[in-house]
Amino acid sequence: MKKNIGNILFFIGFFLLQLSIILVNVEFLHAYLNDIKFLSLLILALGSIIKLSKIKMGFQSFLLIVLLSVVGIYSYYKTEDTLFIKFFLVMLCASNIPFEKLVKYDFTIKLILLFSLLSLYFLGFTNSFVVMRGDLIRKSFGFYHPNTFAMYLTLIYFDYIYLKRSNIKWKHLLFGIFLVLIILRFSDSRTAILCLSLFLFFLVGRKVFKKMMKSKVCLLLIKNLFLIGTVVTILFTTMYLNHDLFARKLNELFSYRLYLQGLYLSEYGIKWLGNKIIYLYTLDNAYLRIILNFGVFISLFIDYIYRNIIKKAYQEKDDILCVIFLIFMIYGLMENLMFDVSYNVFWLSFAGLLFRRGKNEKPKESIDYRTSL
């Protein structure tokens, strides 16, 4: 028990953290959610301290931990936003837990919370958010927004396929198609439908993509997607502010997101250490939210984490993880939850790199994942 107390604290803290974010519309829990979130962060912090006290780390790992700590504390002081604090504590507390075990646990949590929230919704214990799009009523089923409901189903499917990656069959694809139809019928979240459709397209043509992964051009593109997404976001937002016709057409196509991005970019500007932002309007773009709220420095740090995840995935021939992050980078252009580790467990694939010994450490044997499609 003593040897595993850090892992036990992670599992408890991570569950409570997700609960505090997903059940925001449950009436009898709403007043306690901030306390539950605070408790989850305390548990994760305690688990991190216990793990650090038992691990002999090299200089590189020590420097990385110190840097993460300083950046996390300062980001909260500067912005009063807990996003990076959560990112750091969950990452640190998850270190030395096998990534597949983390995904299994996340999959279990998400299913428990999904069915719990749906039950509470149909029993009338939630405040349901409803949006109209033309004649279609978009339902959230107790989630914060119809897009959140759709995104949650998408993340559950990503977890499911990642766990099945060594033996993906047609029934797994049919389950994905079923989720697309559910989202289309009830929440009509175009971003989630796009992400699921792209993922299903990849699964059908998985053998082709695995061959493409051997190309240096493909590797260069995937490794730079975070940087590309940030540059594209700033470029088109600036074009919109300068009354560019093409940018204004894009603004209409993407539900006036460029208009809202322009408001925040004009108001706060890009700074090295970020801003304390008052969100009077929705800012869906994840790249702009990170660079405006947390600054250039943390954006570059997240880019560093992302590059290392992709590098590790390539070394282990983990094509599924590469594609999941490719889709997340596309998703980030339209929604801002991809960087929240409370939703996106796949960032924790970096946790295994926190205490690596260095260049002399032998890499694990890569796995040749087969598909029976």
Side-chain angles (χ1 to χ4, degrees):
M1 178 65 72
K2 290 183 179 179
K3 292 182 179 179
N4 296 320
I5 188 66
N7 290 355
I8 293 171
L9 289 173
F10 168 78
F11 294 135
I12 296 171
F14 195 50
F15 174 77
L16 292 176
L17 184 61
Q18 290 204 34
L19 183 149
S20 69
I21 291 170
I22 297 303
L23 303 185
V24 291
N25 280 344
V26 178
E27 295 175 354
F28 62 85
L29 280 178
H30 185 76
Y32 307 102
L33 292 180
N34 283 334
D35 294 331
I36 293 173
K37 181 180 177 181
F38 182 71
L39 176 62
S40 72
L41 294 178
L42 283 180
I43 292 172
L44 290 168
L46 180 59
S48 300
I49 292 169
I50 291 172
K51 289 200 171 188
L52 287 174
S53 68
K54 295 182 177 182
I55 293 175
K56 293 181 180 180
M57 66 182 80
F59 177 75
Q60 182 180 352
S61 296
F62 175 76
L63 189 62
L64 185 59
I65 297 301
V66 171
L67 184 61
L68 278 167
S69 303
V70 172
V71 170
I73 294 169
Y74 184 80
S75 71
Y76 179 70
Y77 169 76
K78 178 75 174 179
T79 66
E80 295 186 9
D81 193 315
T82 61
L83 180 66
F84 200 80
I85 289 284
K86 287 190 299 181
F87 194 95
F88 168 59
L89 288 177
V90 173
M91 190 81 67
L92 192 58
C93 200
S95 60
N96 293 351
I97 300 177
F99 180 57
E100 183 149 344
K101 188 174 182 179
L102 293 172
V103 177
K104 285 181 181 178
Y105 185 62
D106 183 69
F107 181 63
T108 303
I109 290 175
K110 281 184 167 59
L111 286 180
I112 291 172
L113 293 178
L114 173 67
F115 288 116
S116 297
L117 190 54
L118 288 176
S119 299
L120 291 169
Y121 167 77
F122 286 112
L123 288 172
F125 290 112
T126 67
N127 295 315
S128 186
F129 192 87
V130 177
V131 180
M132 295 295 297
R133 178 176 285 163
D135 295 328
L136 178 66
I137 300 175
R138 303 177 62 202
K139 297 180 180 180
S140 68
F141 292 102
F143 284 85
Y144 176 74
H145 189 277
N147 288 344
T148 311
F149 166 68
M151 181 272 301
Y152 209 67
L153 294 183
T154 302
L155 291 174
I156 287 173
Y157 187 66
F158 284 176
D159 282 357
Y160 176 68
I161 291 298
Y162 189 81
L163 295 172
K164 297 289 184 181
R165 66 194 183 283
S166 60
N167 189 29
I168 298 175
K169 298 180 179 180
W170 284 105
K171 63 181 180 181
H172 303 134
L173 290 182
L174 292 175
F175 178 54
I177 293 171
F178 172 73
L179 291 181
V180 170
L181 295 176
I182 290 291
I183 293 170
L184 184 65
R185 171 63 181 83
F186 293 106
S187 71
D188 193 33
S189 174
R190 293 173 293 187
T191 305
I193 291 170
L194 172 64
C195 290
L196 272 174
S197 299
L198 287 174
F199 194 51
L200 290 168
F201 179 77
F202 156 75
L203 293 177
V204 172
R206 187 180 180 188
K207 291 181 180 178
V208 176
F209 181 80
K210 290 176 78 170
K211 290 180 180 179
M212 290 173 61
M213 282 182 65
K214 298 176 182 179
S215 165
K216 291 183 179 180
V217 175
C218 184
L219 173 60
L220 184 66
L221 176 64
I222 294 177
K223 282 180 67 176
N224 285 285
L225 279 177
F226 179 84
L227 183 61
I228 292 170
T230 303
V231 171
V232 167
T233 293
I234 296 171
L235 175 64
F236 281 106
T237 304
T238 304
M239 287 171 61
Y240 176 81
L241 291 173
N242 290 324
H243 309 289
D244 181 83
L245 182 60
F246 178 68
R248 290 187 171 273
K249 292 291 183 182
L250 279 180
N251 180 54
E252 294 177 8
L253 179 64
F254 291 106
S255 303
Y256 301 98
R257 282 179 169 86
L258 286 178
Y259 166 72
L260 295 172
Q261 290 170 205
L263 289 179
Y264 283 103
L265 184 59
S266 300
E267 176 70 21
Y268 294 99
I270 297 172
K271 299 175 183 175
W272 278 102
L273 299 175
N275 302 275
K276 179 183 176 182
I277 297 179
I278 300 173
Y279 290 104
L280 298 176
Y281 310 100
T282 302
L283 179 57
D284 286 325
N285 186 286
Y287 301 99
L288 194 62
R289 184 163 188 153
I290 291 295
I291 202 166
L292 289 182
N293 209 159
F294 295 98
V296 175
F297 184 76
I298 287 185
S299 290
L300 292 174
F301 195 77
I302 292 175
D303 180 62
Y304 166 79
I305 292 174
Y306 168 72
R307 286 171 181 272
N308 276 273
I309 289 172
I310 296 301
K311 181 181 178 181
K312 179 186 176 185
Y314 257 78
Q315 289 173 346
E316 298 180 354
K317 298 182 180 179
D318 194 343
D319 57 312
I320 296 291
L321 186 61
C322 283
V323 171
I324 285 173
F325 267 100
L326 187 154
I327 292 172
F328 280 143
M329 295 301 113
I330 296 171
Y331 178 85
L333 293 169
M334 293 163 280
E335 300 290 344
N336 61 40
L337 295 177
M338 75 166 187
F339 294 116
D340 193 335
V341 73
S342 311
Y343 290 100
N344 183 2
V345 73
F346 292 98
W347 285 108
L348 296 186
S349 56
F350 182 77
L353 301 175
L354 281 176
F355 300 110
R356 56 186 173 184
R357 294 178 183 175
K359 295 181 180 179
N360 296 326
E361 183 181 23
K362 294 181 180 180
K364 296 179 182 178
E365 293 182 6
S366 61
I367 303 171
D368 182 18
Y369 297 117
R370 293 179 174 85
T371 176
S372 53
L373 287 176

